[in-house]
Amino acid sequence: QVRLVESGGGLVQAGGSLRLSCAASGRTFSLYPMGWFRQTPGKEREFVAAISRSGGSTGYADSVKGRFTISRDNAKSALYLQLNSLKPDDTAVYYCAADAPKSYSGNYYSTEVGEYDYWGQGTQVTVSA
């Protein structure tokens, strides 16, 4: 079982930066590919970024590529998302998620909401024009 708690959201002007953190419970964090997703009212939860269990592979949605960076510190059971050059369209609740161990390779990560097994409560990011 995994519990995830996000932090670091807030209000920022367009062009600004935020750093989101996700703290995970337990000692098996390094076994889980991890992802960040976001959701706005009336829209489906959408993929933002993902990282393989060791951190060796990462992937990003086209809308954030070059602006956001996902990273993890397995020794601290922590996941991070650095958000730079923020735009009003980035306004959303951001969620971290854990993908329970499966038979895929160590470089694997998923971009699909349905593949993830555990979710945090979310943290609000608001970008003003």
Side-chain angles (χ1 to χ4, degrees), residues 7-21 64 66-69 81-88 90 94 124-128:
S7 62
L11 175 64
V12 64
Q13 293 182 335
S17 298
L18 286 172
R19 181 176 171 85
L20 307 183
S21 298
V64 307
R67 299 189 298 120
F68 294 4
T69 303
L81 185 69
Q82 179 68 43
L83 300 80
N84 295 329
S85 302
L86 282 162
K87 306 174 181 179
D90 295 319
Y94 284 71
Q124 176 72 47
V125 171
T126 302
V127 184
S128 63

Side-chain angles (χ1 to χ4, degrees), residues 73-103:
D73 186 338
N74 287 343
K76 297 180 179 179
S77 296
L79 178 74
Y80 306 100
L81 185 69
Q82 179 68 43
L83 300 80
N84 295 329
S85 302
L86 282 162
K87 306 174 181 179
D89 284 349
D90 295 319
T91 295
V93 176
Y94 284 71
Y95 299 88
C96 66
D99 190 357
K102 300 178 178 67
S103 61

Side-chain angles (χ1 to χ4, degrees), residues 8 27 81 97 109:
R27 296 185 177 183
L81 185 69
Y109 59 82

